[in-house]
Amino acid sequence: MKSTLRIHKLLVLLPLLVFSCNEGEILKEVPLDFASPENAFVTVGDYTSAINSLYDQTRATLSEGEFRPLDLVYGTDIGYNGAQQLNERFGSYPATLTPISVIPRYHWQQYYKLISSANIILNRVATSGLTPAQKTAVEAETKLFRGLAYRNLAHLFGGVPIELKEVSSPKTDYTRASREQVYQQAAADLEFAVANLPNINQVKDGKVSTPAANHLLAEVYVCLKRYDDAIKAATAVIQNPNLSLMKQRFGSLAKEPGDVYWDLFRRFNQNRSAGNTEGIWVFQYEVDVLGGVVRTSVLAGPMLERDHAPRPYSFPYKDPSGVSPFLPLGVSDNTGGRGIGRLRGTNHLNYGIWRDDPNDMRNSEYNFIRDVKFNNPASAWYGKKLSEFRATFRRTVDDTIRNFYPYQSKVTTPGQHPAQLFVDPVLKTLNASAAGTTYSDQYFIRLPETYLLRAEAYLGKGDLANAAADINVVRARANAKPVAAGSVTIDYILDERMRELGVEEKRRLTLNRLGLLYERTRKYCNGHPTVGRFGVDVEPYHNLFPIPFSEIERNTGAVLEQNPGYAKR
């Protein structure tokens, strides 16, 4: 009896003895009524939700709105600010790009938020209860985003601080790594992603995969001048049996007049589920769906239509009977939807790159809109073309800078705007206060860019024959004349990127990484004619963004060096 009683007492005391030996466990506070790192990272679902936030943040930084993503296009060889806004949208470089301006601060903070979130996920998953396979999958997906963030920071700022651990308390002693070291860190993250992500045919639309990681890695290797490695990574993408250039008509408007390049940018055509085999990473957007970003009640989502498409409805000129030949609201045909004519393409984009081959498919009447029909049925000019009245419609600067100019139809969705936006479904007039979004999923990586990236690596090696061969694969799809090996230069590749990618490309990232932002912008960005120096007052030091003053000032424990050319205080 005493023995039984003694055993019973030990069983009662055992939990107390165990916990009395680990006071840390007793004192550890785990919140139960709100989300925190202590209780938010437990199941695979928790990690999936955290990774989904990385997708959301990346999409917002690179694709959404009419401001920050377009920082990567304005004031380059692609386009300029047609609205005379000196202190924003690169209407003037010294006015727009300063250590206290919102542009460098936004991009710096967005990428470090992405890095911080990734570090938290990586720190937590290492000690989680997930299986080894689950841990590897989480780590691979997360490291792709961290590698992307360091890649873009290096492109924009040069050398930046590298942080690979979860930071749980204020840290004020950061120093800048070299640009090469930042690229090396990006490469290390992307190499892990390449080795452990699933293939593109094994993931849902919009998810990252091995080809996406290899494409990003190839670009980082080019930055490191590891050309053989870049070629190997790009080749893995190009030879992937699940990927190929689209060469036949397809998708939602395949039976309408057009061509295969035009089909690539129609609504619902960007993803593998639509039969598209060249989209490698596509940002997903849904209209009026929770989490889909785009809404028909307010401007939201990617706004290339709003910024790049012109505004012919603003012409003040009338027909002989005093009627405006254009309807008063933006319309859903090739007048550009609800454009406001702010991102005016350079003459190099509109004309220069097409001079040698005007029959290039990407310059067709479907893809590069160079004329427009009057659309007001009440006008005597209804159905006639603007070009027939050229002198009448070229009287002011705004007539050709904002009201109408050549533009890429990929920024809008002719005939496919959401039904809720039509004020008149017959005339297809649009709700002026809510329309302006580009109502389609948006490419971030597309296979033709991989070919042009590999051509760049071949050029770096001095292998002009293979560089030309890759460029000609892209040109052949467009029914364009092949380029001779002896004509391949970095400028030719950049021009070919303009022809294939145009305003779809995050151009500043490309020009900054090559150190050619100043040279190409000075040469090709014609700018606004009423602004001093046309607003193209770019200087060599603008090849990099300034380090934000706010980051320098709060880093009190060490010196965070400013980039050359910018004020230090």
Side-chain angles (χ1 to χ4, degrees):
M1 182 68 179
K2 289 181 180 179
S3 176
T4 303
L5 183 61
R6 188 178 300 113
I7 293 172
H8 177 71
K9 287 180 179 179
L10 285 173
L11 290 173
V12 171
L13 290 173
L14 184 60
L16 299 177
L17 291 172
V18 169
F19 282 108
S20 68
C21 294
N22 191 347
E23 294 180 359
E25 288 297 321
I26 296 175
L27 298 175
K28 183 182 290 186
E29 296 183 6
V30 179
L32 300 177
D33 58 350
F34 63 90
S36 74
E38 286 70 32
N39 64 18
F41 295 96
V42 179
T43 67
V44 171
D46 294 335
Y47 284 96
T48 299
S49 296
I51 292 171
N52 284 344
S53 73
L54 301 182
Y55 281 96
D56 185 58
Q57 188 172 341
T58 301
R59 179 180 63 177
T61 302
L62 291 167
S63 186
E64 288 171 23
E66 58 181 316
F67 290 96
R68 303 291 70 90
L70 292 174
D71 295 337
L72 305 178
V73 184
Y74 276 107
T76 68
D77 55 358
I78 291 280
Y80 61 88
N81 188 329
Q84 296 178 278
Q85 299 159 299
L86 291 182
N87 64 341
E88 59 184 27
R89 298 184 176 90
F90 291 87
S92 165
Y93 263 85
T96 300
L97 204 56
T98 74
I100 61 172
S101 66
V102 65
I103 290 174
R105 184 171 69 251
Y106 172 86
H107 291 280
W108 177 282
Q109 291 179 349
Q110 285 295 99
Y111 289 122
Y112 274 111
K113 286 177 184 176
L114 197 62
I115 290 165
S116 175
S117 297
N119 287 343
I120 291 172
I121 294 170
L122 293 170
N123 178 66
R124 302 286 164 162
V125 76
T127 57
S128 71
L130 273 58
T131 67
Q134 290 170 334
K135 288 181 179 181
T136 299
V138 168
E139 186 178 355
E141 203 167 359
T142 302
K143 282 190 172 180
L144 181 140
F145 285 97
R146 191 172 71 179
L148 171 66
Y150 277 121
R151 160 195 179 259
N152 288 6
L153 282 168
H155 288 351
L156 292 173
F157 296 94
V160 297
I162 296 174
E163 179 59 73
L164 304 178
K165 298 179 180 179
E166 178 181 350
V167 178
S168 56
S169 60
K171 185 174 178 180
T172 60
D173 60 349
Y174 285 106
T175 56
R176 295 178 65 177
S178 69
R179 194 181 204 183
E180 181 176 0
Q181 288 171 325
V182 179
Y183 282 135
Q184 288 170 345
Q185 178 55 50
D189 281 342
L190 293 168
E191 286 163 352
F192 188 89
V194 164
N196 295 286
L197 281 173
N199 204 344
I200 193 167
N201 63 322
Q202 298 173 316
V203 300
K204 294 181 180 179
D205 290 340
K207 295 279 281 184
V208 297
S209 61
T210 301
N214 259 321
H215 176 99
L216 295 171
L217 181 59
E219 185 184 279
V220 172
Y221 282 152
V222 168
C223 295
L224 291 167
K225 295 182 170 54
R226 293 171 57 179
Y227 297 123
D228 286 329
D229 290 331
I231 291 165
K232 181 179 178 181
T235 299
V237 180
I238 291 166
Q239 293 184 350
N240 189 309
N242 301 289
L243 293 168
S244 60
L245 298 184
M246 298 299 295
K247 297 179 180 179
Q248 303 295 327
R249 297 293 308 274
F250 75 102
S252 60
L253 296 180
K255 295 182 180 180
E256 298 293 322
D259 52 46
V260 67
Y261 189 81
W262 187 74
D263 287 337
L264 285 167
F265 302 97
R266 298 312 102 215
R267 283 191 77 190
F268 317 116
N269 285 7
Q270 287 70 48
N271 295 302
R272 293 183 59 79
S273 59
N276 186 331
T277 56
E278 70 177 67
I280 295 174
W281 187 356
V282 181
F283 294 143
Q284 303 293 295
Y285 290 98
E286 300 291 340
V287 179
D288 295 333
V289 172
L290 185 64
V293 180
V294 179
R295 291 179 286 166
T296 55
S297 59
V298 67
L299 278 167
M303 293 189 194
L304 280 168
E305 174 181 284
R306 176 172 168 81
D307 267 45
H308 181 56
R311 52 174 199 180
Y313 53 85
S314 292
F315 276 118
Y317 312 116
K318 313 293 184 184
D319 70 10
S321 60
V323 176
S324 172
F326 286 107
L327 292 166
L329 299 177
V331 296
S332 178
D333 56 21
N334 282 341
T335 58
R338 181 63 174 91
I340 62 172
R342 198 157 48 194
L343 175 58
R344 209 282 194 178
T346 63
N347 288 342
H348 191 57
L349 173 69
N350 294 344
Y351 310 109
I353 59 175
W354 310 108
R355 287 195 183 108
D356 292 337
D357 193 358
N359 296 320
D360 188 316
M361 182 190 294
R362 298 163 298 188
N363 188 38
S364 76
E365 62 180 312
Y366 307 109
N367 299 313
F368 226 110
I369 310 303
R370 299 181 181 278
D371 204 352
V372 62
K373 290 182 179 180
F374 299 124
N375 57 16
N376 187 349
S379 171
W381 291 345
Y382 177 66
K384 294 185 177 182
K385 292 183 177 181
L386 181 66
S387 59
E388 299 176 48
F389 303 85
R390 194 178 303 273
T392 300
F393 287 82
R394 285 190 171 183
R395 298 183 188 179
T396 71
V397 169
D398 271 358
D399 288 345
T400 57
I401 297 293
R402 298 198 68 185
N403 294 341
F404 193 76
Y405 47 77
Y407 72 97
Q408 293 185 295
S409 67
K410 67 172 67 176
V411 306
T412 184
T413 50
Q416 292 186 303
H417 283 69
Q420 301 94 313
L421 288 172
F422 291 126
V423 176
D424 185 323
V426 177
L427 296 176
K428 295 186 177 178
T429 50
L430 296 170
N431 180 337
S433 63
T437 296
T438 303
Y439 300 92
S440 60
D441 295 330
Q442 295 294 298
Y443 297 109
F444 180 48
I445 302 174
R446 194 158 56 84
L447 184 58
E449 185 182 0
T450 315
Y451 277 100
L452 298 178
L453 195 56
R454 191 170 70 173
E456 193 178 325
Y458 279 127
L459 176 64
K461 284 190 65 178
D463 186 349
L464 300 187
N466 274 316
D470 274 346
I471 295 168
N472 287 332
V473 171
V474 178
R475 290 184 63 76
R477 193 268 295 278
N479 296 325
K481 298 175 184 176
V483 62
S487 297
V488 176
T489 63
I490 192 61
D491 276 319
Y492 188 92
I493 291 175
L494 287 171
D495 283 353
E496 187 64 22
R497 289 178 73 99
M498 290 179 78
R499 284 184 281 264
E500 179 64 33
L501 304 174
V503 294
E504 169 191 354
E505 180 181 8
K506 315 306 177 191
R507 187 65 166 185
R508 190 175 302 277
L509 294 178
T510 300
L511 296 180
N512 276 28
R513 73 172 171 83
L514 291 168
L516 294 175
L517 184 280
Y518 167 76
E519 179 181 322
R520 295 276 300 192
T521 301
R522 281 297 299 270
K523 186 175 182 179
Y524 295 122
C525 189
N526 33 302
H528 200 290
T530 68
V531 179
R533 294 177 64 183
F534 297 92
V536 191
D537 40 9
V538 62
E539 298 294 343
Y541 67 86
H542 290 128
N543 277 313
L544 292 176
F545 275 4
I547 306 300
F549 268 159
S550 57
E551 303 301 319
I552 292 173
E553 290 171 348
R554 67 165 54 103
N555 195 65
T556 57
V559 176
L560 201 59
E561 294 287 348
Q562 182 58 274
N563 277 327
Y566 295 102
K568 296 185 182 299
R569 285 288 184 271

